[in-house]
Amino acid sequence: MRLHLLLLLALCGAGTTAAELSYSLRGNWSICNGNGSLELPGAVPGCVHSALFQQGLIQDSYYRFNDLNYRWVSLDNWTYSKEFKIPFEISKWQKVNLILEGVDTVSKILFNEVTIGETDNMFNRYEQCSFSWDWGPSFPTQGIWKDVRIEAYNICHLNYFTFSPIYDKSAQEWNLEIESTFDVVSSKPVGGQVIVAIPKLQTQQTYSIELQPGKRIVELFVNISKNITVETWWPHGHGNQTGYNMTVLFELDGGLNIEKSAKVYFRTVELIEEPIKGSPGLSFYFKINGFPIFLKGSNWIPADSFQDRVTSELLRLLLQSVVDANMNTLRVWGGGIYEQDEFYELCDELGIMVWQDFMFACALYPTDQGFLDSVTAEVAYQIKRLKSHPSIIIWSGNNENEEALMMNWYHISFTDRPIYIKDYVTLYVKNIRELVLAGDKSRPFITSSPTNGAETVAEGWVSQNPNSNYFGDVHFYDYISDCWNWKVFPKARFASEYGYQSWPSFSTLEKVSSTEDWSFNSKFSLHRQHHEGGNKQMLYQAGLHFKLPQSTDPLRTFKDTIYLTQVMQAQCVKTETEFYRRSRSEIVDQQGHTMGALYWQLNDIWQAPSWASLEYGGKWKMLHYFAQNFFAPLLPVGFENENTFYIYGVSDLHSDYSMTLTVRVHTWSSLEPVCSHVTEHFVMKGGEAVCLYEEPVSELLRRCGNCTRESCVVSFYLSADHGLLSPTNYHFLSSPKEAVGLCKAQITAIISQQGDIFVFDLETSAVAPFVWLDVGSIPGRFSDNGFLMTEKTRTILFYPWEPTSKNELEQSFHVTSLTDIY
């Protein structure tokens, strides 16, 4: 790609006393392909695909097979050109810079026909997922995907401004380290003072500085009086996200004033790796502000193949859905992009902790000097840009590269392995790790994910088994074993990737497909599935516990199959996540103390089958509704072991509460429970998972009117005297496909409106598993969905994301339960 800028005229405007000026080159550019046969206007920021679409030269890139049809776009060379006039006289400025915040990716930059630069790294200031993974399309984009402008200045210019709050344990006080990088173009030293003010902390400090000509760094150390109460930033569900407005004013010689404003948050983060009684290995968990926190959440991928489509509104919608599902963490996965500033600002605001990978994934990277120089610039820039965000709690060097190397994914000969290990250590330890240690002392660093943490370090930076249950984090996928059997899951210290696939809803697929595509075995369905064997794996896993759709109507069968894949995915991830959550406080067979569960993946990049819980555009799959419950701060978890039924209580709360546990048994054939049991009061300790209830299944069945496994289902919930209530959870005593007495449920809804919220009053004629409420393409979410309906009536709320009406909802509303496909 080429960037061709032509300066027509430097206008001589009126004299100015400004110390610096900025002239934006955003907006309309001209785009031309390699041989000049195609020329069109295009927006900057933007990319070639978006420009072609906006001019009507291509369809929606996501429609049907257009990821194949439009490969020519990525295979061609493109030139971006702009002719412009600078509205100031260049000769009056000591320094004039052309700033390109983001170029995708390999380009040559010409200014007035003179080559002034080249780029080869889109993660630097001037995507890997653009080339497809098993959940996304291949759209290697080209374009100017971030801001471009001309900056002119005299005396000096502030290039970077960053800061880190640091807690001094010995003095028990907060300090703030501020780092500012200047380009001093004056031939003489520039003196002045800096005033740092944080009004709500009654802090104002003044510093004298003198900047010598050249590139200069100013480091300031701000002490916050220990007599001032500093409110700390907490993750979602654990406290407030308190921040303080700060201004930093540089008053310099020549009447030059430079002011920066920022929000400052105070929090500490520790990665605890220490021996555990009764278990070999080390713990792996995070303390925020000294409090151990179980990390609950998912893995984030780019929200679109085309970054110019990722709006502020979309980011807020997706991240709000994170906290609405009781999550507190996202892992920004190393095969995507470093997200835009607004993403991290929203995470700060919403209390979402971020596990930040550097952008290296599933590959063996070179270590020649040119590549290392590029990586050094990339990593140093991203650390400066991001380290002031309290949401980021850890840096990770890469995604799965330690495991790929040591498990020999790429079939390296044994004799060559030392060479690759040396390259690995050079890149991630001697390069990236050293940059992190030098640039950011406020959060931990690990070389990879998965990794054994401290054990990996002890083994020379690569472990023989990086996926060990006794150290660090694990990635776990198993599509063959029965996902309802909790014994197949690793009782690891921290699960940072796991999951199962499902298809997105029909209303999402309908927008990018045609009628001939609407079957599970269509050419479209096979092409859209990028995970080898994925469609068969979904049906296999679903068939273990559910009857597969048998309708004679092909469209009905397709819709029912989509529904069933979402049921399967939600139930599988529920079972696995609840296993991790109940393992936080126990050691069984020397394994346990699990302190994190981040399923793969949160969001979709296009409309296709994937592991995501949010469809492309943000619609909640059944899994995301389930996450709202299985990530609840207070949760009862039921499971069987050796024909005994157990219920654990799991609490993420900071306090102890007096509670009771209610256990009910229903038959599939009746909306009235056959028995109900309420325990005596007990104290549920905060931050623990403990066994609250156990009973042989045979005794439970006998006690409840001679139930059988096939005829009955168990539900249970926790409640406290002051009104604190857990979600109602359930346990199937047999596979639903073996259920006795389950009959077709007739479910009706009366819709009413209360302000901006809509109320769905449901009524059912029979017990209904996995009740799914759908309003098609109307944007919004329900208060609950995919639930087991054991009562005759239930009220569900609908929160629209855009203005809608009762009439529109009534026309679009459809309800499905498992009984509809049996």
Side-chain angles (χ1 to χ4, degrees):
M1 189 180 75
R2 299 176 72 195
L3 307 183
H4 187 178
L5 299 103
L6 181 62
L7 176 62
L8 294 181
L9 178 66
L11 295 181
C12 298
T16 175
T17 59
E20 62 178 63
L21 288 175
S22 179
Y23 178 63
S24 176
L25 296 178
R26 297 167 69 104
N28 293 325
W29 287 56
S30 177
I31 304 176
C32 181
N33 70 337
N35 64 11
S37 62
L38 187 59
E39 188 169 353
L40 65 151
V44 169
C47 70
V48 174
H49 286 85
S50 296
L52 291 168
F53 176 71
Q54 289 158 5
Q55 294 302 310
L57 297 174
I58 62 173
Q59 296 175 300
D60 179 356
S61 295
Y62 292 158
Y63 183 73
R64 299 196 74 206
F65 306 97
N66 282 345
D67 56 321
L68 300 180
N69 298 334
Y70 297 156
R71 283 182 173 176
W72 62 269
V73 178
S74 301
L75 294 173
D76 207 342
N77 291 321
W78 297 87
T79 298
Y80 273 71
S81 301
K82 187 177 184 70
E83 297 181 352
F84 61 96
K85 301 176 181 179
I86 297 179
F88 54 84
E89 189 172 343
I90 291 179
S91 62
K92 291 187 176 181
W93 299 92
Q94 293 172 281
K95 192 75 166 282
V96 180
N97 290 331
L98 173 64
I99 305 296
L100 293 144
E101 294 283 355
V103 178
D104 185 5
T105 290
V106 180
S107 75
K108 179 181 291 187
I109 303 164
L110 295 90
F111 193 90
N112 287 351
E113 305 297 342
V114 177
T115 300
I116 61 171
E118 296 181 352
T119 69
D120 64 359
N121 185 342
M122 73 175 292
F123 302 128
N124 229 326
R125 175 177 173 177
Y126 295 133
E127 3 231 279
Q128 290 166 265
C129 61
S130 301
F131 291 86
S132 181
W133 288 78
D134 48 7
W135 39 258
S138 176
F139 285 110
T141 52
Q142 299 181 57
I144 307 173
W145 69 299
K146 290 187 178 181
D147 192 34
V148 55
R149 64 190 182 276
I150 290 176
E151 291 180 347
Y153 49 90
N154 293 324
I155 306 175
C156 71
H157 176 71
L158 178 62
N159 288 335
Y160 292 109
F161 170 82
T162 188
F163 54 88
S164 295
I166 304 294
Y167 185 69
D168 186 333
K169 285 186 177 180
S170 60
Q172 295 186 332
E173 63 184 12
W174 285 98
N175 300 298
L176 193 61
E177 295 179 354
I178 301 175
E179 181 181 304
S180 306
T181 304
F182 287 88
D183 180 18
V184 182
V185 294
S186 170
S187 59
K188 299 177 181 179
V190 178
Q193 65 177 9
V194 188
I195 303 170
V196 180
I198 310 175
K200 287 194 174 180
L201 294 180
Q202 302 174 34
T203 298
Q204 179 165 317
Q205 297 177 20
T206 302
Y207 308 81
S208 296
I209 62 171
E210 184 174 82
L211 302 174
Q212 299 296 324
K215 305 291 184 182
R216 297 300 171 198
I217 297 176
V218 174
E219 295 178 335
L220 304 176
F221 189 80
V222 182
N223 175 258
I224 310 297
S225 171
K226 63 173 60 178
N227 297 324
I228 303 297
T229 300
V230 176
E231 294 186 25
T232 50
W233 180 95
W234 286 95
H236 174 68
H238 290 274
N240 297 325
Q241 291 75 52
T242 303
Y244 297 90
N245 293 324
M246 174 180 71
T247 59
V248 179
L249 176 61
F250 297 87
E251 295 181 338
L252 304 175
D253 294 345
L256 175 59
N257 288 346
I258 301 174
E259 185 175 76
K260 297 293 291 186
S261 299
K263 181 83 77 173
V264 181
Y265 300 88
F266 297 86
R267 67 101 184 89
T268 63
V269 57
E270 301 168 86
L271 174 58
I272 307 299
E273 297 178 90
E274 60 188 12
I276 299 173
K277 184 178 180 181
S279 176
L282 300 171
S283 65
F284 190 91
Y285 68 93
F286 292 86
K287 281 186 177 181
I288 305 297
N289 302 324
F291 188 83
I293 291 185
F294 190 105
L295 271 58
K296 306 179 295 187
S298 189
N299 285 258
W300 172 273
I301 66 169
D304 205 296
S305 297
F306 311 104
Q307 282 298 301
D308 52 315
R309 291 185 182 180
V310 182
T311 62
S312 300
E313 292 74 20
L314 177 60
L315 282 178
R316 181 169 284 278
L317 172 65
L318 295 175
L319 294 176
Q320 185 63 51
S321 292
V322 170
V323 296
D324 286 346
N326 287 311
M327 300 182 190
N328 60 28
T329 306
L330 286 177
R331 174 174 172 247
V332 177
W333 164 75
I337 62 171
Y338 302 100
E339 279 297 333
Q340 56 186 276
D341 292 342
E342 189 169 5
F343 171 89
Y344 299 99
E345 290 165 2
L346 285 168
C347 288
D348 294 344
E349 174 190 326
L350 295 171
I352 301 171
M353 293 180 284
V354 173
W355 173 310
Q356 179 67 54
D357 282 1
F358 287 102
M359 293 300 121
F360 303 87
C362 300
L364 301 175
Y365 290 82
T367 56
D368 59 272
Q369 194 57 50
F371 185 77
L372 290 179
D373 289 345
S374 180
V375 169
T376 296
E378 168 191 330
V379 171
Y381 169 65
Q382 296 297 343
I383 291 171
K384 285 181 180 178
R385 182 174 76 95
L386 299 177
K387 73 175 185 177
S388 62
H389 291 284
S391 53
I392 299 177
I393 62 166
I394 188 171
W395 300 106
S396 174
N398 65 72
N399 171 75
E400 297 184 343
N401 290 347
E402 181 185 349
E403 182 179 26
L405 180 59
M406 300 310 291
M407 298 296 103
N408 205 17
W409 291 4
Y410 306 116
H411 310 293
I412 300 168
S413 68
F414 182 78
T415 55
D416 288 340
R417 181 181 288 190
I419 298 173
Y420 288 90
I421 291 176
K422 180 181 178 182
D423 284 350
Y424 179 92
V425 173
T426 296
L427 179 58
Y428 300 112
V429 180
K430 296 181 179 179
N431 188 285
I432 294 176
R433 178 176 177 271
E434 289 303 314
L435 288 166
V436 172
L437 294 180
D440 183 12
K441 302 178 180 64
S442 66
R443 52 183 60 84
F445 170 84
I446 55 175
T447 50
S448 186
S449 176
T451 187
N452 287 347
E455 175 63 17
T456 287
V457 177
E459 292 184 43
W461 299 107
V462 288
S463 283
Q464 291 301 311
N465 176 21
N467 235 349
S468 170
N469 289 349
Y470 300 105
F471 302 94
D473 65 320
V474 302
H475 295 184
F476 178 81
Y477 297 96
D478 181 352
Y479 311 113
I480 303 303
S481 301
D482 182 358
C483 76
W484 286 30
N485 177 14
W486 57 267
K487 294 183 179 181
V488 306
F489 307 128
K491 207 170 181 73
R493 306 300 193 214
F494 194 109
S496 53
E497 273 194 35
Y498 60 96
Y500 295 84
Q501 279 198 326
S502 72
W503 274 76
S505 60
F506 180 75
S507 62
T508 295
L509 288 171
E510 189 177 20
K511 300 171 185 175
V512 292
S513 59
S514 64
T515 54
E516 64 197 270
D517 301 325
W518 298 340
S519 73
F520 205 66
N521 294 312
S522 69
K523 183 180 178 182
F524 172 81
S525 293
L526 296 174
H527 171 69
R528 218 69 172 184
Q529 173 59 268
H530 286 193
H531 171 58
E532 185 178 3
N535 288 348
K536 290 181 180 179
Q537 290 169 354
M538 281 186 271
L539 292 183
Y540 169 77
Q541 197 64 239
L544 293 177
H545 298 284
F546 305 100
K547 297 176 183 178
L548 299 182
Q550 299 294 329
S551 174
T552 56
D553 177 3
L555 180 57
R556 180 74 262 155
T557 297
F558 185 51
K559 290 181 177 179
D560 287 347
T561 303
I562 289 172
Y563 162 80
L564 202 58
T565 66
Q566 292 209 15
V567 171
M568 175 276 297
Q569 179 197 36
Q571 188 67 18
C572 287
V573 178
K574 171 184 185 292
T575 305
E576 187 167 357
T577 305
E578 289 182 346
F579 168 72
Y580 295 138
R581 291 201 67 193
R582 67 177 169 86
S583 298
R584 69 172 291 169
S585 301
E586 68 179 11
I587 294 295
V588 177
D589 296 329
Q590 298 188 323
Q591 298 181 356
H593 278 211
T594 308
M595 284 297 288
L598 309 178
Y599 66 77
W600 183 270
Q601 67 206 65
L602 177 75
N603 52 312
D604 263 335
I605 201 168
W606 72 329
Q607 307 91 334
S610 78
W611 293 258
S613 62
L614 296 177
E615 298 178 4
Y616 179 75
K619 184 174 182 178
W620 287 30
K621 285 185 181 178
M622 192 178 294
L623 170 56
H624 209 78
Y625 286 102
F626 273 41
Q628 185 177 226
N629 290 328
F630 64 60
F631 280 145
L634 181 66
L635 180 71
V637 176
F639 65 98
E640 288 184 43
N641 189 24
E642 304 296 332
N643 290 316
T644 297
F645 177 56
Y646 297 87
I647 299 176
Y648 273 42
V650 181
S651 173
D652 289 332
L653 305 173
H654 289 219
S655 301
D656 302 343
Y657 289 93
S658 176
M659 293 185 177
T660 59
L661 171 69
T662 300
V663 183
R664 291 176 177 166
V665 177
H666 279 81
T667 63
W668 289 118
S669 58
S670 174
L671 289 166
E672 295 296 327
V674 292
C675 68
S676 181
H677 172 70
V678 180
T679 67
E680 294 183 356
H681 280 79
F682 57 88
V683 175
M684 183 72 228
K685 291 189 175 182
E688 289 194 4
V690 294
C691 182
L692 303 176
Y693 178 95
E694 65 176 283
E695 184 175 15
V697 174
S698 58
E699 177 62 23
L700 174 67
L701 296 175
R702 184 199 61 76
R703 183 170 56 80
C704 294
N706 292 315
C707 270
T708 66
R709 281 184 173 273
E710 294 74 21
S711 66
C712 291
V713 63
V714 186
S715 64
F716 40 93
Y717 62 89
L718 292 165
S719 54
D721 293 338
H722 59 54
L724 184 67
L725 194 68
S726 77
T728 298
N729 210 340
Y730 55 84
H731 175 71
F732 294 114
L733 295 167
S734 71
S735 296
K737 69 179 181 181
E738 299 167 351
V740 173
L742 189 63
C743 57
K744 184 173 177 59
Q746 303 295 329
I747 303 174
T748 59
I750 297 175
I751 305 175
S752 59
Q753 186 171 2
Q754 294 181 359
D756 295 331
I757 299 173
F758 292 87
V759 180
F760 285 65
D761 289 310
L762 306 177
E763 185 172 318
T764 182
S765 63
V767 173
F770 304 105
V771 175
W772 183 246
L773 312 178
D774 191 28
V775 290
S777 297
I778 297 177
R781 70 170 182 90
F782 290 94
S783 56
D784 196 7
N785 216 342
F787 47 82
L788 172 66
M789 194 166 181
T790 56
E791 296 84 24
K792 186 175 182 62
T793 61
R794 183 164 183 173
T795 298
I796 299 293
L797 305 179
F798 180 74
Y799 304 97
W801 295 332
E802 296 176 3
T804 189
S805 67
K806 175 186 171 184
N807 184 54
E808 288 177 306
L809 287 171
E810 289 174 337
Q811 291 180 355
S812 301
F813 177 68
H814 181 74
V815 59
T816 304
S817 79
L818 195 63
T819 66
D820 293 316
I821 64 173
Y822 278 15

